Every structure is written in structure tokens, then in C-alpha cells.
Amino acid sequence: MKQIKVLGSGCSKCIKTADIIAKVAADIGVEVNVIKETDPEAIMNHGVMSTPAVVIDDTVVHSGSIPSQDAIRSWLA
Amino acid sequence: MFEIFTYLADWLVYGLLSLSPETKLGDALHFFVEDVSKIYVLLVVMIYLIALARASLDVERVRDFLAGRHRGVGYLLGSGFGAITPFCSCSSIPVFLGFTSAGIPVGITMAFLLTSPLINEVAVLLLLSLLGWKFTLLYVVVGMSVGILGGIFLDQIRAERWLQSFARKALERGQQGGPLTPSSAPRQLSFAERHSFARSETADIFGRVWKWVIIGVGLGAALHGFVPDGWIEAHLGNGQWWSVPAAVGLGIPLYSNATGVIPVMESLIQNGLPIGTTLAFCMSTVAASFPEFILLKQVMQWRLLVTLFALLLTAFTLVGWIFNLLTPFI
């Protein structure tokens, strides 16, 4: 199962990002565990400055906006 | 060029609703329709065009550019980039930490973060079209000065002592690390990418700002239609020194973004509120908000937060007094 972290201070965009990832994963039948990371120190340690950002298996794959469904599909494939 | 909005308001308010321009309601509603429609059109066009131009500017690039700069130019650049770089206020904390862990001094980072809410390109263009270039220039110079002087002050008192310990350690690591290698090579954006960025920016900013425009213009219309001419001038004019700190005190708990507060500025000034008092009120509304301060608690100790708060209060009060004194010469 893929571990996916959504980094962000809990703003509405971050919540949307987590929701849309869970939805896309369900659509294509991939099991994921999506968690929201709001701790500023943890966000800093990932080197992220623009939230929401997405981290999959400890690699930052996206930052600064709500990702598109196509992008999410390509990460999960 | 802007007459079309007057005609629109004429048609809607005097024609369709058949209100008389002589009545207070008709007058206020006309003002409201004209200003809201004008501002909405300006916003959509301007946000789109500007986003197109600055699609490739982001906080990561600014950090790489500011890291390792000499302090003197650092404050000026920090404040300048704060004015033009787009970022969501919910990213303030990650931006603060990103700058800090790159070894950028707290004062330069704060010059960036203090200037950012005060000045943005949309606000500047709205000011230009509503209040003219002199006032706009004044506003930009004052906003940047608050950021620059505030940043210098924070470094002078060694504000980094009062960061939360993990942030202070990150700063020390960053300063020992020497210059960063740029995190990403600048890349060329195609027009299609710029267009798609600009379109989503326009939708995003407009979605956040439209209600502030209604509130701002609504307040303006109420002032315009219902507060008797000369009342503000007589009661809150230049003679009353206390009106500036009172305006700042009133502005702090209120929160608006710069775009929403500009229609209020317009009507306050047209109703005779002195320029300094208006600036003090509007800047304190925009720059200092309690939710933002609560967020900053994650990276700063109380002493620094209180210092910052006091710094802003003092700065805006001084701005108000100085500009009220200077008004006869402007």
C-alpha cells in the first residue's frame, strides 16, 4: 500500500487535495493511505515552501496547488 | 473609458428600478453598482494579464535569489519580492521556514512577509484607477518602507533569539551551509502553460476577493449616501491627533485583503478623511490579522509575536501622523 502525505497547514486546498487523491485511488482501485501532515517542522524537513504539497514514499512529487486528476493517476500507476 | 459603468448603473438603478438620483437610496445604489461592476471587470482583466507575465515567479526562486545576499540590498529585495510574488497566506509558515532554513536573516524574511499582504499588483492597479498615480506611489513607498524598516529593526534587536527552537536551529544550519545550489533550473514556460496558470489564478483570486469588493463598496456606498458631507472632516479631520491611533486600533481586529479595502479607502478619502488616517486604518486592516498571528506562534515565541504586533501598531500610527502633517504639501 502506498503511503501518501499531503503537506499543508490545514487550509481548504490541502483538504481538497487529500480528498481528490483518495477519490482517484478508489476510482482506479489502488489501495492508498492518505494522511495530512500539518506540523510546520515536518513540512520544512521535506523542503516544501508552497502548500499543498504531496509526498509519496518520502519523495515530494508536487507542490503549490491542488494536483490534477491526471497527475495523481500517473503517481499511483 | 470607465463611463460605460456609469451608463450601466444609470440604466439599472434609474431606469430599471426607477429610483431617483435625488434620493439617498438611489444615489448610494448607483455608486454601488458602478463601482462593483467596474472593479470586477478590472480585476478579471488585470489578474489574468499579470498572472500571464509572472507565471514563472515563485517563492522557491525568490528564496534562491535572496539566499546569501548582502543585508543592505537584502531588505530592499525582500520587500520588493514580497510585493510581487504571489503566494497564499496559508503558505506563510512554510515560506518563513523555507527562507529561514536557507540561512536568510529573519529581518529579510520578515521584510518579504510584511510587505506581501500590503502591496500586490492587483491592489496597485486598482489604486491607480480609483485614486490616481500620486496616491498609488505614496501607498507603495509607504508599504515597502514598513517592510524594510520593520525587517531592519527585527535584525537589530536580534529577533532570531525568539524563534521557536527548531526554527532557530534551522537558521543556524542554513547560515553555516553557505550558498544554496538553486533547487530547480529556471525553465521556459510555453504560452499554453502560462495561459492555464493565468486562468486558474484569475479564478482563484477572484473567488477569494469578490466578496471583499462587495463589502468594501457597500461600506463606501453607505458612507457616500448616508453620512452627511463634511461630517467626517469635522469630526475625524486633521485637528484630532487621536483619530490616527483610534483608526489603527479599529483596523487591527478587522481583517480584509488589500483588494477589498481599496474601495473603502476611496470613499473615506472622498468623504474627507485625511490621507494619513485613511492609510493607517487600511494598512492595519490588511497587514495585521489575529488568525495570522496565531499561525506565526508555530515558529515564533510570544516575545517576538508581541514585538511584531507592537512594531506594526507603531509603524501604522507614525505613517498616519506623518502623512496628515504632509498633506498640505502633497
Side-chain angles (χ1 to χ4, degrees), chain A residues 7-14 38-45 47-52 63-65, chain B residues 58-61 63 88 90-91 93-99 101 166-167 170 173 204 208 295 298-299:
Chain A
L7 312 182
S9 51
C11 56
S12 64
K13 281 188 189 174
C14 314
T38 55
D39 177 35
E41 188 172 3
I43 297 176
M44 176 184 80
N45 288 335
V48 163
M49 293 209 296
S50 320
T51 56
S63 90
S65 63
Chain B
D58 55 31
V59 281
E60 284 80 7
R61 277 196 167 183
R63 176 195 54 192
C88 159
C90 56
S91 285
I93 299 299
V95 167
F96 181 89
L97 289 170
F99 279 26
S101 58
F166 78 92
R173 274 199 307 274
D204 188 47
R208 270 187 285 131
L295 278 179
Q298 296 175 313
V299 291

mmCIF file of all heavy atoms in Angstrom, chain A residues 7-14 38-45 47-52 63-65, chain B residues 58-61 63 88 90-91 93-99 101 166-167 170 173 204 208 295 298-299:
data_model
loop_
_atom_site.group_PDB
_atom_site.id
_atom_site.type_symbol
_atom_site.label_atom_id
_atom_site.label_comp_id
_atom_site.label_asym_id
_atom_site.label_seq_id
_atom_site.Cartn_x
_atom_site.Cartn_y
_atom_site.Cartn_z
ATOM 1 N N LEU A 7 1.020 17.648 2.539
ATOM 2 C CA LEU A 7 1.586 18.641 3.438
ATOM 3 C C LEU A 7 0.829 19.946 3.308
ATOM 4 O O LEU A 7 0.572 20.419 2.202
ATOM 5 C CB LEU A 7 3.057 18.912 3.098
ATOM 6 C CG LEU A 7 3.997 17.738 2.886
ATOM 7 C CD1 LEU A 7 5.395 18.264 2.615
ATOM 8 C CD2 LEU A 7 3.992 16.822 4.086
ATOM 9 N N GLY A 8 0.486 20.541 4.449
ATOM 10 C CA GLY A 8 -0.192 21.837 4.395
ATOM 11 C C GLY A 8 -0.743 22.193 5.747
ATOM 12 O O GLY A 8 -0.914 21.332 6.599
ATOM 13 N N SER A 9 -1.055 23.500 5.924
ATOM 14 C CA SER A 9 -1.438 23.963 7.245
ATOM 15 C C SER A 9 -2.907 23.709 7.558
ATOM 16 O O SER A 9 -3.447 24.287 8.483
ATOM 17 C CB SER A 9 -1.121 25.454 7.354
ATOM 18 O OG SER A 9 -1.679 26.110 6.244
ATOM 19 N N GLY A 10 -3.563 22.872 6.771
ATOM 20 C CA GLY A 10 -4.967 22.587 7.057
ATOM 21 C C GLY A 10 -5.912 23.541 6.340
ATOM 22 O O GLY A 10 -7.085 23.638 6.688
ATOM 23 N N CYS A 11 -5.399 24.242 5.319
ATOM 24 C CA CYS A 11 -6.259 25.150 4.578
ATOM 25 C C CYS A 11 -7.183 24.337 3.663
ATOM 26 O O CYS A 11 -6.984 23.137 3.476
ATOM 27 C CB CYS A 11 -5.430 26.135 3.755
ATOM 28 S SG CYS A 11 -4.295 25.323 2.627
ATOM 29 N N SER A 12 -8.164 25.012 3.071
ATOM 30 C CA SER A 12 -9.166 24.275 2.313
ATOM 31 C C SER A 12 -8.552 23.547 1.113
ATOM 32 O O SER A 12 -8.977 22.455 0.760
ATOM 33 C CB SER A 12 -10.271 25.216 1.857
ATOM 34 O OG SER A 12 -9.745 26.172 0.977
ATOM 35 N N LYS A 13 -7.514 24.134 0.515
ATOM 36 C CA LYS A 13 -6.888 23.473 -0.636
ATOM 37 C C LYS A 13 -6.233 22.153 -0.252
ATOM 38 O O LYS A 13 -6.206 21.213 -1.048
ATOM 39 C CB LYS A 13 -5.818 24.379 -1.249
ATOM 40 C CG LYS A 13 -6.362 25.460 -2.131
ATOM 41 C CD LYS A 13 -5.198 26.138 -2.825
ATOM 42 C CE LYS A 13 -5.668 27.371 -3.539
ATOM 43 N NZ LYS A 13 -4.549 28.123 -4.102
ATOM 44 N N CYS A 14 -5.668 22.131 0.972
ATOM 45 C CA CYS A 14 -4.996 20.899 1.396
ATOM 46 C C CYS A 14 -6.028 19.799 1.606
ATOM 47 O O CYS A 14 -5.799 18.640 1.254
ATOM 48 C CB CYS A 14 -4.227 21.141 2.693
ATOM 49 S SG CYS A 14 -3.263 22.654 2.654
ATOM 50 N N THR A 38 0.398 18.422 9.095
ATOM 51 C CA THR A 38 0.240 19.862 9.315
ATOM 52 C C THR A 38 1.381 20.442 10.154
ATOM 53 O O THR A 38 1.449 21.657 10.336
ATOM 54 C CB THR A 38 -1.087 20.172 10.045
ATOM 55 O OG1 THR A 38 -1.128 19.411 11.259
ATOM 56 C CG2 THR A 38 -2.284 19.816 9.180
ATOM 57 N N ASP A 39 2.270 19.605 10.648
ATOM 58 C CA ASP A 39 3.346 20.098 11.507
ATOM 59 C C ASP A 39 4.367 20.898 10.686
ATOM 60 O O ASP A 39 4.952 20.373 9.742
ATOM 61 C CB ASP A 39 4.029 18.901 12.181
ATOM 62 C CG ASP A 39 5.209 19.354 13.022
ATOM 63 O OD1 ASP A 39 5.114 20.445 13.601
ATOM 64 O OD2 ASP A 39 6.223 18.631 13.058
ATOM 65 N N PRO A 40 4.574 22.179 11.043
ATOM 66 C CA PRO A 40 5.469 23.012 10.221
ATOM 67 C C PRO A 40 6.895 22.469 10.141
ATOM 68 O O PRO A 40 7.543 22.594 9.106
ATOM 69 C CB PRO A 40 5.438 24.384 10.919
ATOM 70 C CG PRO A 40 4.744 24.196 12.206
ATOM 71 C CD PRO A 40 3.934 22.948 12.128
ATOM 72 N N GLU A 41 7.364 21.851 11.221
ATOM 73 C CA GLU A 41 8.730 21.335 11.187
ATOM 74 C C GLU A 41 8.851 20.189 10.170
ATOM 75 O O GLU A 41 9.806 20.118 9.403
ATOM 76 C CB GLU A 41 9.144 20.847 12.575
ATOM 77 C CG GLU A 41 10.617 20.473 12.632
ATOM 78 C CD GLU A 41 11.083 20.166 14.053
ATOM 79 O OE1 GLU A 41 10.260 20.192 14.983
ATOM 80 O OE2 GLU A 41 12.289 19.893 14.217
ATOM 81 N N ALA A 42 7.837 19.324 10.151
ATOM 82 C CA ALA A 42 7.865 18.214 9.191
ATOM 83 C C ALA A 42 7.796 18.740 7.763
ATOM 84 O O ALA A 42 8.499 18.255 6.870
ATOM 85 C CB ALA A 42 6.689 17.280 9.468
ATOM 86 N N ILE A 43 6.971 19.774 7.546
ATOM 87 C CA ILE A 43 6.864 20.359 6.203
ATOM 88 C C ILE A 43 8.218 20.941 5.791
ATOM 89 O O ILE A 43 8.687 20.742 4.671
ATOM 90 C CB ILE A 43 5.755 21.431 6.168
ATOM 91 C CG1 ILE A 43 4.400 20.779 6.472
ATOM 92 C CG2 ILE A 43 5.726 22.134 4.812
ATOM 93 C CD1 ILE A 43 3.248 21.760 6.559
ATOM 94 N N MET A 44 8.854 21.629 6.736
ATOM 95 C CA MET A 44 10.172 22.211 6.453
ATOM 96 C C MET A 44 11.186 21.124 6.092
ATOM 97 O O MET A 44 11.983 21.290 5.169
ATOM 98 C CB MET A 44 10.655 22.996 7.670
ATOM 99 C CG MET A 44 12.047 23.569 7.515
ATOM 100 S SD MET A 44 12.618 24.377 9.017
ATOM 101 C CE MET A 44 13.130 22.971 9.995
ATOM 102 N N ASN A 45 11.134 20.009 6.826
ATOM 103 C CA ASN A 45 12.120 18.956 6.574
ATOM 104 C C ASN A 45 11.961 18.311 5.201
ATOM 105 O O ASN A 45 12.895 17.702 4.694
ATOM 106 C CB ASN A 45 12.053 17.898 7.682
ATOM 107 C CG ASN A 45 12.625 18.442 8.974
ATOM 108 O OD1 ASN A 45 13.450 19.366 8.952
ATOM 109 N ND2 ASN A 45 12.174 17.912 10.099
ATOM 110 N N GLY A 47 11.494 20.211 2.734
ATOM 111 C CA GLY A 47 11.955 21.280 1.852
ATOM 112 C C GLY A 47 10.841 21.937 1.059
ATOM 113 O O GLY A 47 11.078 22.516 0.003
ATOM 114 N N VAL A 48 9.619 21.865 1.579
ATOM 115 C CA VAL A 48 8.475 22.405 0.837
ATOM 116 C C VAL A 48 8.125 23.804 1.327
ATOM 117 O O VAL A 48 8.072 24.060 2.525
ATOM 118 C CB VAL A 48 7.257 21.470 1.006
ATOM 119 C CG1 VAL A 48 5.975 22.179 0.620
ATOM 120 C CG2 VAL A 48 7.446 20.221 0.159
ATOM 121 N N MET A 49 7.923 24.745 0.391
ATOM 122 C CA MET A 49 7.511 26.095 0.770
ATOM 123 C C MET A 49 6.124 26.453 0.286
ATOM 124 O O MET A 49 5.514 27.384 0.785
ATOM 125 C CB MET A 49 8.499 27.122 0.225
ATOM 126 C CG MET A 49 9.859 27.026 0.869
ATOM 127 S SD MET A 49 10.649 28.608 0.887
ATOM 128 C CE MET A 49 10.831 28.889 -0.831
ATOM 129 N N SER A 50 5.641 25.789 -0.767
ATOM 130 C CA SER A 50 4.307 26.109 -1.257
ATOM 131 C C SER A 50 3.398 24.921 -0.973
ATOM 132 O O SER A 50 3.673 23.817 -1.437
ATOM 133 C CB SER A 50 4.306 26.373 -2.756
ATOM 134 O OG SER A 50 5.432 27.111 -3.112
ATOM 135 N N THR A 51 2.340 25.197 -0.215
ATOM 136 C CA THR A 51 1.412 24.122 0.107
ATOM 137 C C THR A 51 0.142 24.321 -0.707
ATOM 138 O O THR A 51 -0.133 25.435 -1.141
ATOM 139 C CB THR A 51 1.094 24.127 1.601
ATOM 140 O OG1 THR A 51 0.599 25.407 1.950
ATOM 141 C CG2 THR A 51 2.320 23.792 2.411
ATOM 142 N N PRO A 52 -0.668 23.314 -0.931
ATOM 143 C CA PRO A 52 -0.463 21.927 -0.535
ATOM 144 C C PRO A 52 0.630 21.229 -1.356
ATOM 145 O O PRO A 52 0.826 21.550 -2.515
ATOM 146 C CB PRO A 52 -1.819 21.291 -0.817
ATOM 147 C CG PRO A 52 -2.457 22.151 -1.840
ATOM 148 C CD PRO A 52 -1.943 23.526 -1.603
ATOM 149 N N SER A 63 3.992 20.363 -5.542
ATOM 150 C CA SER A 63 3.759 21.367 -4.506
ATOM 151 C C SER A 63 3.149 22.622 -5.087
ATOM 152 O O SER A 63 3.317 22.929 -6.263
ATOM 153 C CB SER A 63 5.055 21.690 -3.757
ATOM 154 O OG SER A 63 5.739 22.741 -4.367
ATOM 155 N N GLY A 64 2.394 23.319 -4.268
ATOM 156 C CA GLY A 64 1.894 24.646 -4.616
ATOM 157 C C GLY A 64 0.483 24.723 -5.124
ATOM 158 O O GLY A 64 -0.038 25.812 -5.320
ATOM 159 N N SER A 65 -0.174 23.599 -5.384
ATOM 160 C CA SER A 65 -1.548 23.692 -5.887
ATOM 161 C C SER A 65 -2.266 22.366 -5.688
ATOM 162 O O SER A 65 -1.648 21.377 -5.301
ATOM 163 C CB SER A 65 -1.549 24.047 -7.373
ATOM 164 O OG SER A 65 -0.918 23.015 -8.100
ATOM 165 N N ASP B 58 8.090 32.195 -8.488
ATOM 166 C CA ASP B 58 7.501 31.548 -7.325
ATOM 167 C C ASP B 58 8.432 31.707 -6.119
ATOM 168 O O ASP B 58 9.551 32.185 -6.240
ATOM 169 C CB ASP B 58 7.194 30.075 -7.602
ATOM 170 C CG ASP B 58 8.414 29.323 -8.078
ATOM 171 O OD1 ASP B 58 9.532 29.695 -7.667
ATOM 172 O OD2 ASP B 58 8.263 28.385 -8.867
ATOM 173 N N VAL B 59 7.925 31.306 -4.949
ATOM 174 C CA VAL B 59 8.699 31.542 -3.724
ATOM 175 C C VAL B 59 10.032 30.800 -3.724
ATOM 176 O O VAL B 59 11.003 31.280 -3.144
ATOM 177 C CB VAL B 59 7.892 31.181 -2.457
ATOM 178 C CG1 VAL B 59 6.911 32.290 -2.127
ATOM 179 C CG2 VAL B 59 7.181 29.862 -2.582
ATOM 180 N N GLU B 60 10.101 29.655 -4.398
ATOM 181 C CA GLU B 60 11.360 28.914 -4.433
ATOM 182 C C GLU B 60 12.444 29.728 -5.137
ATOM 183 O O GLU B 60 13.575 29.815 -4.672
ATOM 184 C CB GLU B 60 11.180 27.566 -5.164
ATOM 185 C CG GLU B 60 10.469 26.495 -4.350
ATOM 186 C CD GLU B 60 8.954 26.662 -4.335
ATOM 187 O OE1 GLU B 60 8.442 27.545 -5.078
ATOM 188 O OE2 GLU B 60 8.273 25.947 -3.586
ATOM 189 N N ARG B 61 12.058 30.345 -6.256
ATOM 190 C CA ARG B 61 13.028 31.171 -6.988
ATOM 191 C C ARG B 61 13.465 32.368 -6.163
ATOM 192 O O ARG B 61 14.634 32.749 -6.172
ATOM 193 C CB ARG B 61 12.397 31.684 -8.265
ATOM 194 C CG ARG B 61 12.453 30.703 -9.373
ATOM 195 C CD ARG B 61 12.180 31.457 -10.622
ATOM 196 N NE ARG B 61 12.507 30.661 -11.778
ATOM 197 C CZ ARG B 61 12.413 31.110 -13.010
ATOM 198 N NH1 ARG B 61 12.013 32.357 -13.222
ATOM 199 N NH2 ARG B 61 12.720 30.352 -14.007
ATOM 200 N N ARG B 63 13.576 32.613 -2.956
ATOM 201 C CA ARG B 63 14.488 32.166 -1.904
ATOM 202 C C ARG B 63 15.900 31.984 -2.462
ATOM 203 O O ARG B 63 16.872 32.458 -1.894
ATOM 204 C CB ARG B 63 14.013 30.852 -1.303
ATOM 205 C CG ARG B 63 15.001 30.319 -0.264
ATOM 206 C CD ARG B 63 14.741 28.887 0.078
ATOM 207 N NE ARG B 63 14.711 28.065 -1.133
ATOM 208 C CZ ARG B 63 14.277 26.817 -1.160
ATOM 209 N NH1 ARG B 63 13.813 26.273 -0.075
ATOM 210 N NH2 ARG B 63 14.279 26.140 -2.288
ATOM 211 N N CYS B 88 -0.232 32.094 -1.319
ATOM 212 C CA CYS B 88 -1.418 32.031 -0.488
ATOM 213 C C CYS B 88 -1.021 32.279 0.960
ATOM 214 O O CYS B 88 0.028 31.817 1.399
ATOM 215 C CB CYS B 88 -2.035 30.652 -0.669
ATOM 216 S SG CYS B 88 -3.107 30.140 0.641
ATOM 217 N N CYS B 90 -1.991 31.038 3.477
ATOM 218 C CA CYS B 90 -1.875 29.792 4.256
ATOM 219 C C CYS B 90 -0.491 29.183 4.085
ATOM 220 O O CYS B 90 -0.116 28.254 4.795
ATOM 221 C CB CYS B 90 -2.963 28.802 3.861
ATOM 222 S SG CYS B 90 -2.984 28.415 2.118
ATOM 223 N N SER B 91 0.314 29.699 3.134
ATOM 224 C CA SER B 91 1.684 29.213 2.962
ATOM 225 C C SER B 91 2.702 30.051 3.729
ATOM 226 O O SER B 91 3.896 29.793 3.624
ATOM 227 C CB SER B 91 2.081 29.216 1.482
ATOM 228 O OG SER B 91 1.472 28.166 0.793
ATOM 229 N N ILE B 93 3.747 30.181 6.757
ATOM 230 C CA ILE B 93 4.640 29.452 7.659
ATOM 231 C C ILE B 93 5.668 28.628 6.868
ATOM 232 O O ILE B 93 6.875 28.755 7.127
ATOM 233 C CB ILE B 93 3.832 28.555 8.624
ATOM 234 C CG1 ILE B 93 2.905 29.422 9.476
ATOM 235 C CG2 ILE B 93 4.746 27.724 9.506
ATOM 236 C CD1 ILE B 93 3.603 30.432 10.335
ATOM 237 N N PRO B 94 5.245 27.818 5.897
ATOM 238 C CA PRO B 94 6.264 27.110 5.097
ATOM 239 C C PRO B 94 7.237 28.060 4.406
ATOM 240 O O PRO B 94 8.435 27.752 4.313
ATOM 241 C CB PRO B 94 5.436 26.338 4.061
ATOM 242 C CG PRO B 94 4.099 26.178 4.661
ATOM 243 C CD PRO B 94 3.886 27.340 5.567
ATOM 244 N N VAL B 95 6.752 29.210 3.950
ATOM 245 C CA VAL B 95 7.651 30.174 3.302
ATOM 246 C C VAL B 95 8.650 30.711 4.328
ATOM 247 O O VAL B 95 9.856 30.772 4.071
ATOM 248 C CB VAL B 95 6.856 31.334 2.657
ATOM 249 C CG1 VAL B 95 7.777 32.469 2.266
ATOM 250 C CG2 VAL B 95 6.102 30.837 1.440
ATOM 251 N N PHE B 96 8.150 31.067 5.489
ATOM 252 C CA PHE B 96 9.035 31.564 6.550
ATOM 253 C C PHE B 96 10.132 30.543 6.840
ATOM 254 O O PHE B 96 11.319 30.867 6.890
ATOM 255 C CB PHE B 96 8.225 31.844 7.824
ATOM 256 C CG PHE B 96 9.054 32.386 8.954
ATOM 257 C CD1 PHE B 96 9.246 33.748 9.095
ATOM 258 C CD2 PHE B 96 9.664 31.532 9.855
ATOM 259 C CE1 PHE B 96 10.024 34.240 10.115
ATOM 260 C CE2 PHE B 96 10.453 32.010 10.879
ATOM 261 C CZ PHE B 96 10.632 33.373 11.017
ATOM 262 N N LEU B 97 9.724 29.275 7.003
ATOM 263 C CA LEU B 97 10.700 28.237 7.331
ATOM 264 C C LEU B 97 11.627 27.938 6.164
ATOM 265 O O LEU B 97 12.813 27.668 6.349
ATOM 266 C CB LEU B 97 9.969 26.960 7.771
ATOM 267 C CG LEU B 97 9.308 27.066 9.141
ATOM 268 C CD1 LEU B 97 8.419 25.870 9.400
ATOM 269 C CD2 LEU B 97 10.360 27.206 10.234
ATOM 270 N N GLY B 98 11.102 27.988 4.949
ATOM 271 C CA GLY B 98 11.931 27.751 3.773
ATOM 272 C C GLY B 98 13.033 28.792 3.658
ATOM 273 O O GLY B 98 14.196 28.468 3.407
ATOM 274 N N PHE B 99 12.676 30.073 3.857
ATOM 275 C CA PHE B 99 13.654 31.155 3.822
ATOM 276 C C PHE B 99 14.661 30.960 4.957
ATOM 277 O O PHE B 99 15.870 31.062 4.777
ATOM 278 C CB PHE B 99 12.971 32.515 3.978
ATOM 279 C CG PHE B 99 12.356 33.046 2.709
ATOM 280 C CD1 PHE B 99 11.950 32.197 1.693
ATOM 281 C CD2 PHE B 99 12.170 34.407 2.532
ATOM 282 C CE1 PHE B 99 11.384 32.685 0.532
ATOM 283 C CE2 PHE B 99 11.609 34.917 1.365
ATOM 284 C CZ PHE B 99 11.214 34.055 0.372
ATOM 285 N N SER B 101 15.496 28.296 6.685
ATOM 286 C CA SER B 101 16.424 27.166 6.599
ATOM 287 C C SER B 101 17.420 27.345 5.462
ATOM 288 O O SER B 101 18.376 26.600 5.348
ATOM 289 C CB SER B 101 15.655 25.840 6.469
ATOM 290 O OG SER B 101 14.841 25.873 5.336
ATOM 291 N N PHE B 166 13.289 24.868 16.991
ATOM 292 C CA PHE B 166 13.603 24.139 15.751
ATOM 293 C C PHE B 166 13.868 25.105 14.595
ATOM 294 O O PHE B 166 14.712 24.853 13.739
ATOM 295 C CB PHE B 166 12.486 23.143 15.384
ATOM 296 C CG PHE B 166 11.272 23.742 14.747
ATOM 297 C CD1 PHE B 166 11.163 23.850 13.371
ATOM 298 C CD2 PHE B 166 10.221 24.195 15.527
ATOM 299 C CE1 PHE B 166 10.045 24.401 12.772
ATOM 300 C CE2 PHE B 166 9.088 24.749 14.939
ATOM 301 C CZ PHE B 166 8.997 24.866 13.569
ATOM 302 N N ALA B 167 13.158 26.245 14.604
ATOM 303 C CA ALA B 167 13.365 27.230 13.539
ATOM 304 C C ALA B 167 14.724 27.911 13.697
ATOM 305 O O ALA B 167 15.418 28.183 12.717
ATOM 306 C CB ALA B 167 12.239 28.255 13.549
ATOM 307 N N ALA B 170 17.325 25.578 12.474
ATOM 308 C CA ALA B 170 17.314 25.517 11.005
ATOM 309 C C ALA B 170 18.044 26.712 10.419
ATOM 310 O O ALA B 170 18.777 26.602 9.438
ATOM 311 C CB ALA B 170 15.878 25.455 10.493
ATOM 312 N N ARG B 173 21.838 26.189 10.877
ATOM 313 C CA ARG B 173 22.313 25.232 9.875
ATOM 314 C C ARG B 173 22.414 25.888 8.504
ATOM 315 O O ARG B 173 23.383 25.726 7.787
ATOM 316 C CB ARG B 173 21.370 24.033 9.779
ATOM 317 C CG ARG B 173 21.643 22.927 10.772
ATOM 318 C CD ARG B 173 21.005 21.617 10.316
ATOM 319 N NE ARG B 173 19.587 21.741 10.002
ATOM 320 C CZ ARG B 173 18.615 21.635 10.914
ATOM 321 N NH1 ARG B 173 18.913 21.429 12.175
ATOM 322 N NH2 ARG B 173 17.347 21.758 10.568
ATOM 323 N N ASP B 204 -9.014 31.698 -8.990
ATOM 324 C CA ASP B 204 -8.675 31.567 -7.584
ATOM 325 C C ASP B 204 -8.761 32.904 -6.849
ATOM 326 O O ASP B 204 -9.436 33.034 -5.828
ATOM 327 C CB ASP B 204 -7.257 30.991 -7.503
ATOM 328 C CG ASP B 204 -6.873 30.641 -6.084
ATOM 329 O OD1 ASP B 204 -7.702 30.002 -5.412
ATOM 330 O OD2 ASP B 204 -5.779 31.017 -5.659
ATOM 331 N N ARG B 208 -11.641 34.488 -4.144
ATOM 332 C CA ARG B 208 -11.368 34.922 -2.773
ATOM 333 C C ARG B 208 -11.778 36.363 -2.545
ATOM 334 O O ARG B 208 -12.109 36.762 -1.431
ATOM 335 C CB ARG B 208 -9.878 34.767 -2.459
ATOM 336 C CG ARG B 208 -9.527 33.413 -1.881
ATOM 337 C CD ARG B 208 -8.091 33.379 -1.441
ATOM 338 N NE ARG B 208 -7.177 33.288 -2.569
ATOM 339 C CZ ARG B 208 -6.129 34.070 -2.736
ATOM 340 N NH1 ARG B 208 -5.858 35.018 -1.877
ATOM 341 N NH2 ARG B 208 -5.333 33.907 -3.777
ATOM 342 N N LEU B 295 -1.129 31.734 13.771
ATOM 343 C CA LEU B 295 -0.337 30.802 12.961
ATOM 344 C C LEU B 295 1.163 30.992 13.205
ATOM 345 O O LEU B 295 1.911 30.029 13.317
ATOM 346 C CB LEU B 295 -0.617 31.013 11.474
ATOM 347 C CG LEU B 295 -1.856 30.341 10.896
ATOM 348 C CD1 LEU B 295 -1.968 30.678 9.414
ATOM 349 C CD2 LEU B 295 -1.785 28.833 11.088
ATOM 350 N N GLN B 298 3.489 29.173 15.721
ATOM 351 C CA GLN B 298 4.154 27.889 15.468
ATOM 352 C C GLN B 298 5.664 28.044 15.269
ATOM 353 O O GLN B 298 6.406 27.100 15.485
ATOM 354 C CB GLN B 298 3.562 27.224 14.224
ATOM 355 C CG GLN B 298 2.105 26.855 14.396
ATOM 356 C CD GLN B 298 1.520 26.309 13.118
ATOM 357 O OE1 GLN B 298 1.692 26.874 12.044
ATOM 358 N NE2 GLN B 298 0.823 25.194 13.214
ATOM 359 N N VAL B 299 6.094 29.219 14.798
ATOM 360 C CA VAL B 299 7.528 29.400 14.563
ATOM 361 C C VAL B 299 8.165 30.473 15.447
ATOM 362 O O VAL B 299 9.373 30.615 15.477
ATOM 363 C CB VAL B 299 7.831 29.732 13.085
ATOM 364 C CG1 VAL B 299 7.564 28.515 12.208
ATOM 365 C CG2 VAL B 299 7.023 30.914 12.595
#
